[in-house]
Amino acid sequence: MKINENYRNLNENYLFATIAKKVKEYKAAHPEKEIIRLGIGDVTLPLAKSVVAALKKASGEMGEKETFRGYDDEQGYPFLKEAIRGYYGAKGVSADVSEIFIGDGAKSDLSNILDIFGTDNAVLVPNPVYPVYVDTNVMDGRKISYMNASKENGFLPLPDKNVKADIIYLCSPNNPTGAVYGREGLKLWVDYALKNKAVILFDAAYECFISDKNLPASIFEIEGARECAIEFCSLSKTAGFTGVRCGYTVVPNELISNGIKLNALWRRRQATKFNGVSYIVQRGAEAVFSKEGLAEIRENIKYYMNNAGLIGAALNKKGVYYTGGINSPYIWFECFDKMESWAFFDYLLENFALVGTPGAGFGEAGKNFFRLTAFNSLENTKLAADRLLNIK
Ligand SMILES: *Cc1c(COP(=O)(O)O)cnc(C)c1O
């Protein structure tokens, strides 16, 4: 046998392992210090009550002969697709149920979608970036080019007509930068994609954190997007499903390449390689989109956004440049005194027992930036904000 040689080209990602090691060493040397971790990219609040009730009820059904379920449509149950269609409708976006695919999360779908694209496509990803976009394309051997997100463009890079790309990744609200595209910016990307016959893979995992009604929470709010974009959504950050696992992907029927509907290709791919998300989880997901469910998850999001606001306020007082913090649970700021992000990591840990994520871990363009998250308790976030204020 021969291995997939492309795997040799993967960069070892030591980011979170290195952070864990440094924190462990610090803890051993300073057992009396209370370490606050704002590095976490995972939710911390428990599931909404209505979701738990739905999960329990569905579990009960699975234990009764009359209501037991086995294999079903691998694209998802109609009840959940209808609920998602309604959720989109409330944003003014119409999606047909045939365009909605239920999966076990955005990470899998973002990776698996590459099965339907040739390996000779040129891929364009922002830098800094969610590492999954890069690694999954390296595994397939696609050529990747980067577009720099920076202070100059507010960490929202726009298309460059001199760059030729076939597959474009956009993530808004962005992880790690928290930056959110406005309608004008997304329209430029849609126009570029249509002109170049490219596809936009739009990662909307954090759409629920957008509170500003002027900002698009779906790329399908942009005219022309149905001919050039696929949208990936997840209940992970929206409803605390990181451990439950459920997401959905929208592939519009108008998205066509060489006479072939991408919707049909993705349906074929999923039918062959995927057997669907568990009935129990899909019932839990359905409850997220109920009136009570939405009210409950919005309370949780409000809690996180209040935390983000506290960090943002501290940085404002310090006069530090940052993106995110509003409409996103991430705060991405310039390291104090133009420090490099790993040096700043050590400085914050050593002097303030505060843990974040060095921007360099998300790409070269992040080397003087730092990511903090809103996913901690209010009490700890308040302490962290005070510590930030105390930096000289
Ligand atoms: C957390 C996250 C996801 C969601 O991943 P799941 O597989 O749905 O848990 C997708 N994209 C980004 C950028 C994320 O940070």
Side-chain angles (χ1 to χ4, degrees):
M1 58 80 159
K2 296 184 182 71
I3 62 154
N4 177 347
E5 290 291 332
N6 295 318
Y7 277 59
R8 293 189 197 274
N9 300 324
L10 290 167
N11 280 329
E12 218 40 78
N13 196 337
Y14 296 114
L15 176 64
F16 290 102
T18 308
I19 292 173
K21 183 167 167 276
K22 282 176 181 271
V23 172
K24 198 173 157 204
E25 284 166 6
Y26 177 80
K27 212 173 167 157
H30 308 274
E32 76 293 352
K33 285 271 171 39
E34 202 196 325
I35 300 171
I36 298 179
R37 294 163 198 265
L38 295 189
I40 18 176
D42 195 356
V43 291
T44 49
L45 292 173
L47 294 173
K49 288 203 168 42
S50 51
V51 170
V52 175
L55 291 170
K56 282 184 179 162
K57 179 161 175 270
S59 299
E61 287 174 36
M62 292 295 274
E64 302 292 335
K65 195 169 191 326
E66 296 71 31
T67 47
F68 169 78
R69 312 252 188 162
Y71 289 127
D72 209 294
D73 184 347
E74 60 276 345
Q75 317 302 353
Y77 281 100
F79 62 78
L80 179 53
K81 288 194 273 194
E82 274 301 334
I84 291 166
R85 199 173 68 87
Y87 182 68
Y88 268 109
K91 297 186 202 180
V93 170
S94 51
D96 190 79
V97 284
S98 69
E99 300 172 323
I100 300 170
F101 295 82
I102 310 302
D104 66 357
K107 188 179 185 176
S108 320
D109 281 6
L110 278 158
S111 309
N112 295 334
I113 197 80
L114 292 174
D115 274 9
I116 70 168
F117 297 111
T119 51
D120 52 352
N121 285 293
V123 176
L124 183 61
V125 296
N127 181 6
V129 69
Y130 179 57
V132 173
Y133 311 152
V134 174
D135 288 355
T136 51
N137 279 291
V138 169
M139 288 173 176
D140 287 354
R142 276 186 208 84
K143 190 173 161 286
I144 303 170
S145 56
Y146 295 88
M147 46 177 161
N148 260 24
S150 62
K151 208 171 159 177
E152 285 65 44
N153 57 29
F155 286 91
L156 294 168
L158 293 174
D160 175 347
K161 63 179 188 324
N162 301 315
V163 172
K164 174 82 187 84
D166 305 306
I167 298 174
I168 302 153
Y169 286 85
L170 296 178
C171 178
S172 175
N174 190 275
N175 178 11
T177 72
V180 188
Y181 278 103
R183 283 172 211 286
E184 306 69 29
L186 282 190
K187 180 75 174 108
L188 291 172
W189 275 115
V190 166
D191 290 345
Y192 170 94
L194 291 173
K195 186 156 179 257
N196 289 279
K197 296 192 187 334
V199 65
I200 296 172
L201 303 182
F202 192 76
D203 185 344
Y206 297 92
E207 55 83 23
C208 211
F209 290 85
I210 296 178
S211 55
D212 183 343
K213 293 276 178 286
N214 293 314
L215 294 172
S218 164
I219 193 158
F220 299 123
E221 292 181 41
I222 309 301
E223 201 193 324
R226 288 181 55 86
E227 283 100 66
C228 66
I230 299 176
E231 181 158 284
F232 300 85
C233 298
S234 167
L235 297 183
S236 283
K237 318 299 163 33
T238 306
F241 269 49
T242 50
V244 178
R245 311 304 308 145
C246 193
Y248 51 98
T249 292
V250 179
V251 189
N253 286 318
E254 288 92 321
L255 188 50
I256 293 167
S257 173
N258 271 334
I260 309 260
K261 276 169 75 172
L262 269 58
N263 180 292
L265 282 187
W266 178 240
R267 186 173 303 280
R268 187 71 176 79
R269 188 271 172 211
Q270 290 294 77
T272 301
K273 295 196 184 181
F274 183 60
N275 249 339
V277 173
S278 95
Y279 171 71
I280 300 168
V281 166
Q282 290 194 58
R283 281 295 185 195
E286 179 192 26
V288 169
F289 298 103
S290 67
K291 199 157 163 275
E292 306 74 48
L294 286 173
E296 287 167 333
I297 65 159
R298 281 180 186 140
E299 278 306 305
N300 289 354
I301 285 167
K302 228 159 88 185
Y303 181 91
Y304 294 136
M305 290 316 296
N306 181 55
N307 287 347
L310 293 173
I311 299 166
L315 294 173
N316 283 339
K317 274 196 195 147
K318 289 301 224 182
V320 172
Y321 171 86
Y322 67 94
T323 50
I326 42 170
N327 305 302
S328 157
Y330 296 118
I331 298 100
W332 175 258
F333 65 94
E334 199 166 27
C335 298
F336 289 51
D337 288 337
K338 302 210 176 338
M339 278 169 113
E340 294 234 340
S341 63
W342 276 111
F344 187 67
F345 175 92
D346 292 336
Y347 172 79
L348 272 190
L349 179 61
E350 287 295 330
N351 296 283
F352 298 93
L354 188 56
V355 180
T357 313
F362 301 101
E364 173 66 17
K367 74 172 192 299
N368 292 106
F369 284 81
F370 207 73
R371 191 191 76 173
L372 294 180
T373 87
F375 298 127
N376 206 321
S377 66
L378 173 62
E379 298 68 33
N380 280 344
T381 306
K382 278 182 177 162
L383 289 173
D386 285 342
R387 292 181 191 182
L388 285 172
L389 284 174
N390 286 329
I391 299 176
K392 58 167 170 29

